[in-house]
Amino acid sequence: MLSIGLIGCGTIGTSICKAIDDGTIEAELVAIYDRNLDDVDKLLSTLERSKPQVMEVTEMVRNIDLLVECASQEAVYEIIPTALHAHCDVMIMSVGAFSDEKLYKTIRELAKENKCKVYLPSGAIVGLDGLKSASAEKIYSVTLTTQKPPAGLAGAPYIIRNKIDLDKITGKTVIFEGPASEAVKAFPANVNVAATISLTGIGFEKTKVKIVANPALTRNIHEISVEGAFGEFTTRVENVPSPSNPKSSYLASLSAIATLRKLSDPIQTGT
Ligand SMILES: NC(=O)C1=CN([C@@H]2O[C@H](COP(=O)(O)OP(=O)(O)OC[C@H]3O[C@@H](n4cnc5c(N)ncnc54)[C@H](OP(=O)(O)O)[C@@H]3O)[C@@H](O)[C@H]2O)C=CC1
Ligand SMILES: O=C([O-])CC(=O)C(=O)O
């Protein structure tokens, strides 16, 4: 059975661990880690059958087949190369880290050299299958429009740097417009999906991102519009925010779980 180690015991990490614990994912949860020890304890208290050891990444990678990152973009730098050097496959949620082209190339090379897979789930968006198919031919444009309730954007470096008072926003307001390369750095905990779209489609510079704060919303909305040789499509998802972290949509957790379930399934649907 697949042995899994997980870094980041927050919202997504807890959902994944529970899904392993209750058998939704066919795997053994061998090890977990988080820099925040309270989150580790909280997660452990939710598990009924699994008894993962708490260990740091250097020890963890000696005991697992696959490392799951659901922590932060900085964690990708800290843990993914270590895991690949140790011949572990990896699944990454903080995909925005790959706007750093050097990191992306390093991880790609390391994965090839060590014959490892790097899984990037669709996360909180829908339509990655269509974009993947479309990218076999010419794509003319890709635009992501993300709308969140103002509280879902709190703490983003862009909001802090520009001294935007989210409490004072009373109507639908465009907060940011620019390339995905800038969006994922300005909003590292809000639009990792822009990175996954960029890697699947036409890259970080050509992918356009618009971020809207909308106090009328209770859900996180992502709309993707794509034009290419195939024709055009628009997808829209209205995501229920995770109760423990309104920045992250529940669908992101479910997407991580689905990606891990797929590993043990002989039938693979979708592009
Ligand atoms: N691809 C996608 O579609 C999506 C991606 N995401 C991304 O997935 C990641 C996890 O999301 P979520 O579970 O909601 O986040 P949470 O904030 O709920 O949990 C993350 C946990 O990881 C810990 N952590 C952060 N950095 C490190 C590190 N370097 N080493 C060890 N622990 C660390 C955090 O600690 P602390 O509290 O101290 O920061 C926190 O306990 C985030 O980067 C998020 O932006 C989220 C939604 C969708
Ligand atoms: O969960 C979401 O709605 C999207 C998100 O936070 C991200 O891509 O980082």
Side-chain angles (χ1 to χ4, degrees):
M1 199 187 277
L2 187 73
S3 303
I4 291 183
L6 179 137
I7 309 269
C9 299
T11 301
I12 297 176
T14 301
S15 297
I16 294 171
C17 290
K18 278 185 177 169
I20 298 173
D21 194 52
D22 69 16
T24 303
I25 297 168
E26 223 176 274
E28 187 187 354
L29 183 63
V30 170
I32 60 172
Y33 180 74
D34 195 296
R35 65 182 173 198
N36 186 336
L37 291 178
D38 285 347
D39 277 1
V40 173
D41 289 341
K42 226 184 281 168
L43 190 155
L44 285 173
S45 73
T46 68
L47 302 177
E48 288 177 8
R49 292 187 309 160
S50 314
K51 299 271 177 278
Q53 300 287 307
V54 181
M55 54 177 90
E56 291 197 20
V57 69
T58 40
E59 190 189 352
M60 189 185 285
V61 296
R62 291 199 289 269
N63 294 281
I64 57 170
D65 305 313
L66 184 143
L67 180 91
V68 173
E69 178 282 324
C70 37
S72 60
Q73 291 186 20
E74 61 184 279
V76 175
Y77 288 83
E78 292 162 12
I79 64 173
I80 301 301
T82 308
L84 294 172
H85 276 299
H87 305 283
C88 295
D89 292 332
V90 295
M91 186 175 90
I92 298 172
M93 292 308 292
S94 308
V95 190
F98 284 149
S99 67
D100 178 346
E101 207 177 328
K102 199 169 152 216
L103 176 74
Y104 179 70
K105 281 190 177 149
T106 303
I107 287 182
R108 208 186 158 83
E109 279 308 309
L110 275 177
K112 261 191 182 169
E113 272 168 32
N114 294 292
K115 298 189 175 35
C116 298
K117 293 282 186 207
V118 177
Y119 300 104
L120 310 177
S122 318
I125 48 166
V126 296
L128 215 58
D129 52 350
L131 182 57
K132 209 185 282 177
S133 304
S135 71
E137 244 279 16
K138 185 94 182 134
I139 296 179
Y140 310 133
S141 69
V142 180
T143 306
L144 167 72
T145 305
T146 291
Q147 290 191 59
K148 292 197 175 186
L153 300 170
Y158 186 89
I159 299 287
I160 294 168
R161 201 168 50 242
N162 292 291
K163 300 189 172 58
I164 298 171
D165 188 346
L166 293 167
D167 293 334
K168 291 221 170 91
I169 293 178
T170 51
K172 193 171 165 181
T173 306
V174 176
I175 299 278
F176 173 92
E177 263 187 294
S181 56
E182 285 174 25
V184 297
K185 291 188 191 109
F187 295 88
N190 296 105
V191 286
N192 285 284
V193 289
T196 318
I197 292 169
S198 301
L199 292 169
T200 308
I202 52 175
F204 282 88
E205 297 310 323
K206 289 191 188 145
T207 303
K208 296 184 204 114
V209 179
K210 193 195 251 194
I211 298 176
V212 178
N214 187 347
L217 292 179
T218 53
R219 293 182 170 177
N220 299 327
I221 299 178
H222 299 290
E223 286 177 85
I224 306 169
S225 296
V226 179
E227 293 175 334
F230 73 97
E232 55 187 76
F233 73 74
T234 299
T235 68
R236 173 185 166 96
V237 58
E238 293 193 16
N239 281 313
V240 175
S242 300
S244 52
N245 182 3
K247 295 184 186 78
S248 292
S249 303
Y250 185 42
L251 188 66
S253 294
L254 298 179
S255 152
I257 292 168
T259 300
L260 294 173
R261 270 163 71 87
K262 204 167 145 181
L263 299 181
S264 61
D265 195 332
I267 308 283
Q268 304 273 307
T269 56
T271 304

